[in-house]
Amino acid sequence: MRAHFAALPGLEAHVKIVSDLGDATLGYELDYVYDKQGADTFTLTAPAALAGIEGALTGTDEASLELRYDGLALDDAMPQRPGLTPADALFGLLADLRTAQPAQQWEERVEGETLLVLRYEGEDRDGTIQKQVWLTQKELRPVCAELYADGTRVLFLQVTDYRER
């Protein structure tokens, strides 16, 4: 598993994200490009009010993450909990797939297809973080993921139009 994602030179995907902030649920969509040799980039495609905003993410994992919007890195714009925002969730998930050992692994049937499910667990200064990702068994293509902060689901990602480069 880790070997597949560690060797991957790049990928492109369209990602639908539901962010649950407790009192409000927001939906986003973005086009994401992972480039092993450079920065990951994304372009928001929805909602319409945010469509066209571009960002770049550099670093090897959430601890070394730098998020830039239109070429500017702003300390105030950094996520409070890296890896748990719509802008950096896929970055953190891909870093885990490349480098981390899942705490649990099992198979689950979803819509007639048997998927591989990986659960990653960790802690940051603010509490616990859990990530659960569903992958196709044969191609190891991410299908969807759920991200939890302190036991509460904060993000749901659905990956579509996934292409490895």
Side-chain angles (χ1 to χ4, degrees):
M1 177 67 54
R2 284 185 290 181
H4 172 79
F5 285 97
L8 192 63
L11 67 83
E12 297 176 15
H14 184 78
V15 185
K16 296 178 182 179
I17 302 170
V18 176
S19 174
D20 188 348
L21 305 173
D23 56 349
T25 301
L26 303 171
Y28 301 90
E29 293 188 34
L30 55 86
D31 291 326
Y32 194 93
V33 177
Y34 162 69
D35 181 359
K36 184 176 183 175
Q37 301 302 319
D40 291 16
T41 58
F42 66 87
T43 302
L44 287 165
T45 58
L50 301 176
I53 292 176
E54 296 179 345
L57 303 115
T58 57
T60 56
D61 57 24
E62 292 157 352
S64 64
L65 170 70
E66 181 178 77
L67 175 58
R68 296 176 172 269
Y69 290 98
D70 294 326
L72 298 173
L74 305 172
D75 288 338
D76 291 343
M78 288 302 294
Q80 290 182 357
R81 294 187 81 177
L84 294 177
T85 70
D88 66 353
L90 191 56
F91 175 90
L93 196 58
L94 290 171
D96 287 340
L97 288 167
R98 284 191 308 270
T99 64
Q101 178 68 33
Q104 294 177 306
Q105 178 176 326
W106 67 92
E107 294 178 357
E108 194 172 294
R109 282 195 70 72
V110 177
E111 297 180 6
E113 183 178 5
T114 302
L115 299 177
L116 179 62
V117 185
L118 306 175
R119 178 185 290 260
Y120 296 93
E121 298 177 352
E123 292 187 24
D124 65 8
R125 69 180 185 279
D126 296 319
T128 61
I129 296 173
Q130 295 175 322
K131 300 176 186 180
Q132 194 162 291
V133 59
W134 285 259
L135 305 153
T136 59
Q137 285 192 316
K138 188 175 180 181
E139 302 90 13
L140 299 177
R141 179 181 56 83
V143 175
C144 62
E146 295 179 338
L147 285 68
Y148 297 82
D150 305 318
T152 301
R153 187 175 87 172
V154 293
L155 291 175
F156 174 78
L157 287 73
Q158 180 182 12
V159 181
T160 62
D161 299 328
Y162 178 87
R163 295 174 305 283
E164 293 182 354
R165 301 189 283 149

